[in-house]
């Protein structure tokens, strides 16, 4: 009896508790219900951070649920087995995230136990790998047209848009699930991109496209278009070379400035119908001699036609006899020739003019040479002021956004004399009807003014400013020749392309 009892005790002492299927089933059940302590009890010598590791992964990855699908138990030896399984963690930011792994088991201390390694939790945790959620900055707000459409490709407005983007703030915050393995580059597994905001500009999709296409194949030129009723910049297509800017750099405006000189003369009492001489050349008594382009004279013409034919001689003669230099400076300041910054959202300037120090300087200033300088933006504003009756500060962003970036605009609206404006409209219409812009292929309803400016020894600058309905514009061709030959063809393509 004693011997039999000893044999039974020896047999019991060598019996293996449980079987791999039961242990695996219990482990997966505990994992599904989130009972990490119960899981740990089924593991042979679980690491000290077993519970913490499981809970941290759940918390850090924002795991909301775990689904597990064990496969069949496979024997890998007399006292070892494995269970391949698939799973899916439901992450708050990403939804279901499937994975596959293997649960390994073995007999330890006469019992079946789970042989746990980090890759049991997820294969990417092997070799010290980690899984983490990281945030990243999304794309900055996208600049779009006033209609909410994409800015046209090859718009020639890129330099201004690039200047705007840093002012619009950062993009939203995105979230990424990242795998990090020591010695390897971090790998993004999934990402949720933040919704990209759209920041509307004042640019018109159709006007910007027409302006850009009018400049295709033309170097060193710019087209700026405005809405006279609001000052909104509808297009800025800028192909000026040498890092020049149509909004910030000054150029002599030539005869387009006669619009402002004409305004001063009209205010002095000169009637648009007054008959005046337009000789090919005119010598200021005791001072310099002035010539028309090509020395061409037109005989006796109305003041309106002197403007239409761009008679330098007439304008100089009338300016030096009817006005003082300070009168022209004051008039120019009404039209933005103050040298001050403009609150467009991308900066900018209009024009500037020094008080003339002599009669000769005053004469040169009167037809847009001398100390008179303007940006193409400024001359578009001059045309817009004639159309609307008020000079308005321009902007390329909604008013509040432009103010936030550039500050409030001083004297944003300057009301002009109604009688002067009405006369200037007739005079600009005459330019297109039978003056220097006649028979140039412009569509019906356009009024404007050509300008040719000497450029310090280089080829002349060509200008054309004008308006049609609630659209005003300036075409500027740097060192391109006369306004008639260089700027007018571009203006015709632009307006006909609308």
């Amino acid at each position: 009896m004693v011997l039999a009892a000893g044999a039974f005790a020896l047999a019991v002492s060598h019996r293996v508790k449980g079987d791999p299927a039961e242990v695996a089933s219990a482990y997966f059940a505990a994992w599904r219900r989130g009972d990490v302590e119960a899981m740990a009890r089924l593991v042979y010598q679980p690491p000290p951070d077993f519970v913490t590791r499981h809970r941290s992964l759940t918390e850090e990855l924002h795991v909301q649920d775990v689904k597990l699908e064990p496969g069949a138990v496979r024997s890998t030896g007399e006292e070892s087995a494995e269970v391949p399984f698939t799973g899916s963690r439901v992450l708050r930011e990403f939804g279901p995230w499937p994975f596959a792994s293997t649960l390994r088991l073995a007999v330890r201390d006469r019992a079946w136990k789970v042989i746990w390694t980090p890759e049991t939790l997820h294969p990417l945790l092997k070799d010290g790998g980690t899984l983490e959620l990281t945030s990243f900055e999304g794309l900055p707000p996208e600049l779009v047209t006033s209609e909410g459409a994409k800015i046209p490709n090859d718009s020639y407005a890129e330099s201004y848009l690039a200047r705007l983007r840093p002012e619009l703030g950062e993009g939203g915050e995105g979230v990424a699930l990242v795998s990090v393995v020591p010695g390897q580059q971090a790998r993004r597994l999934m990402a949720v991109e933040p919704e990209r905001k759209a920041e509307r500009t004042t640019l018109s999709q159709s006007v910007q496209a027409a302006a850009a296409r009018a400049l295709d194949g033309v170097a060193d030129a710019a087209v700026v278009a405005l809405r006279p009723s609001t000052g909104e910049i509808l297009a800025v297509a800028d192909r000026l070379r040498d890092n020049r800017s149509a909004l910030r750099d000054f150029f002599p405006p030539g005869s387009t400035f006669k619009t402002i000189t004409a305004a001063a003369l009209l205010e002095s009492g000169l009637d648009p119908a007054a008959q005046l001489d337009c000789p090919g050349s005119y010598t200021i008594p005791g001072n310099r001699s002035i010539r028309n382009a090509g020395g061409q004279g037109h005989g006796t013409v109305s003041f309106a036609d002197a403007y239409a034919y761009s008679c330098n001689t007439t304008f100089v003669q009338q300016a030096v006899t009817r006005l003082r230099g300070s009168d022209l400076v004051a008039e120019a300041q009404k039209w933005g020739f103050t040298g001050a910054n403009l609150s467009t959202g991308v900066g900018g300037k209009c024009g500037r003019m020094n008080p003339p120090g002599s009669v000769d300087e005053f004469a040169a200033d009167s037809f847009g040479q001398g100390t008179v300088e303007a940006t193409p933006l400024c001359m578009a504003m001059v045309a817009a002021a004639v159309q609307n009756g008020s000079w308005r500060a321009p902007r390329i962003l909604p008013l509040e956004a432009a103010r936030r970036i550039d500050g409030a605009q001083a004297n944003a609206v300057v009301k002009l004399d109604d009688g002067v404006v009405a006369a200037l409209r007739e005079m600009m219409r005459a330019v297109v009807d039978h003056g220097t812009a006649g028979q140039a292929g412009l569509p019906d309803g356009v009024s404007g003014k050509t300008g040719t400016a000497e450029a310090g020894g280089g080829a002349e600058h060509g200008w054309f400013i004008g308006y049609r309905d609630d659209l005003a514009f300036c075409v500027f061709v740097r060192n391109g020749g006369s306004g008639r030959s260089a700027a007018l063809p571009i203006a015709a393509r632009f307006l006909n392309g609308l």
Side-chain angles (χ1 to χ4, degrees):
M1 290 179 62
V2 172
L3 288 174
F8 177 77
L10 182 62
V12 170
S13 67
H14 285 285
R15 183 181 301 168
V16 175
K17 296 180 181 178
D19 65 64
E22 291 176 356
V23 174
S25 177
Y27 187 87
F28 286 121
W31 193 350
R32 289 189 187 97
R33 65 177 182 269
D35 190 348
V36 186
E37 287 85 356
M39 294 166 65
R41 288 192 292 271
L42 296 170
V43 174
Y44 177 71
Q45 294 182 353
D49 64 348
F50 180 87
V51 173
T52 302
R53 185 188 287 259
H54 280 71
R55 288 177 175 168
S56 295
L57 187 70
T58 297
E59 293 171 2
E60 291 171 6
L61 300 189
H62 302 163
V63 178
Q64 296 177 316
D65 190 21
V66 177
K67 300 183 184 301
L68 301 167
E69 293 293 335
V73 178
R74 297 187 306 211
S75 175
T76 57
E78 290 185 3
E79 295 187 340
S80 63
E82 64 182 18
V83 181
F85 67 96
T86 58
S88 177
R89 290 180 173 88
V90 179
L91 309 185
R92 186 177 67 198
E93 285 79 8
F94 305 102
W97 178 41
F99 69 102
S101 190
T102 301
L103 184 72
R104 290 180 171 81
L105 305 102
V107 175
R108 296 289 188 270
D109 297 335
R110 296 186 300 281
W112 281 97
K113 290 284 187 176
V114 171
I115 306 302
W116 189 88
T117 57
E119 54 264 39
T120 308
L121 191 55
H122 195 284
L124 292 175
L125 299 178
K126 185 178 180 180
D127 299 327
T130 59
L131 292 166
E132 49 193 69
L133 290 183
T134 62
S135 60
F136 62 92
E137 185 180 308
L139 294 173
E142 180 183 17
L143 290 164
V144 296
T145 67
S146 60
E147 305 92 344
K150 182 181 177 181
I151 304 291
N153 293 329
D154 301 321
S155 67
Y156 307 134
E158 286 80 7
S159 63
Y160 300 101
L161 301 178
R163 183 184 175 96
L164 269 178
R165 288 188 183 97
E167 302 290 350
L168 301 178
E170 299 176 346
E173 190 173 87
V175 180
L177 177 62
V178 177
S179 168
V180 181
V181 177
Q184 299 180 24
Q185 187 174 0
R187 181 162 60 100
R188 182 181 289 187
L189 306 177
M190 293 188 291
V192 175
E193 297 282 349
E195 183 178 356
R196 191 178 187 185
K197 296 179 181 178
E199 184 75 36
R200 293 189 184 231
T201 66
T202 62
L203 299 177
S204 160
Q205 183 181 30
S206 60
V207 179
Q208 182 66 48
R213 300 294 70 80
L215 288 183
D216 285 344
V218 181
D220 224 358
V223 177
V224 180
L226 304 173
R227 178 171 285 124
S229 60
T230 63
E232 294 169 306
I233 298 175
L234 301 178
V236 52
D238 190 341
R239 299 200 71 189
L240 294 175
R241 291 175 173 171
D242 305 323
N243 203 31
R244 302 277 185 163
S245 166
L247 271 57
R248 295 185 294 276
D249 286 314
F250 296 108
F251 307 92
S255 292
T256 57
F257 186 77
K258 286 175 182 165
T259 308
I260 295 171
T261 305
L265 289 170
L266 290 165
E267 288 183 0
S268 76
L270 185 58
D271 191 281
Q275 297 296 298
L276 307 171
D277 288 335
C278 176
S281 64
Y282 168 72
T283 301
I284 305 168
N287 291 277
R288 64 178 290 190
S289 180
I290 304 296
R291 298 175 71 253
N292 290 335
Q296 183 178 12
H298 294 276
T300 300
V301 296
S302 68
F303 177 40
D305 279 349
Y307 178 86
Y309 300 138
S310 205
C311 294
N312 294 341
T313 55
T314 307
F315 269 76
V316 169
Q317 184 177 15
Q318 294 303 311
V320 299
T321 56
R322 289 177 171 271
L323 304 173
R324 297 168 300 178
S326 59
D327 296 328
L328 188 56
V329 170
E331 186 66 38
Q333 289 175 344
K334 294 180 189 177
W335 299 73
F337 282 70
T338 63
N341 293 325
L342 297 171
S343 297
T344 65
V346 290
K349 292 180 181 292
C350 183
R352 60 190 180 189
M353 174 187 176
N354 297 331
S358 67
V359 173
D360 285 348
E361 287 183 7
F362 181 31
D365 289 340
S366 71
F367 58 93
Q369 296 285 171
T371 66
V372 176
E373 292 182 306
T375 64
L377 169 64
C378 185
M379 298 316 298
M381 294 160 62
V382 169
V386 174
Q387 191 277 346
N388 181 257
S390 293
W391 181 93
R392 296 178 184 276
R395 52 187 172 83
I396 199 170
L397 290 174
L399 185 58
E400 290 305 315
R403 284 178 175 173
R404 176 175 53 80
I405 296 171
D406 282 340
Q409 177 71 51
N411 301 318
V413 180
V414 178
K415 181 73 173 67
L416 302 174
D417 181 270
D418 289 339
V420 168
V421 168
L424 288 174
R425 289 171 184 158
E426 292 182 11
M427 295 163 76
M428 291 183 75
R429 181 62 196 150
V431 172
V432 177
D433 181 60
H434 57 270
T436 56
Q439 304 298 311
L442 296 170
D444 292 340
V446 177
S447 298
K449 181 69 184 82
T450 57
T452 304
E454 296 177 3
E460 297 168 321
H461 299 322
W463 296 81
F464 184 64
I465 66 172
Y467 62 85
R468 184 189 191 199
D469 298 325
D470 199 17
L471 182 145
F473 61 89
C474 170
V475 176
F476 172 66
V477 184
R478 181 176 172 232
N479 302 127
S482 71
R484 169 87 188 182
S485 64
L488 260 177
I490 296 172
R493 287 199 298 273
F494 165 56
L495 295 169
N496 288 314
L498 290 172

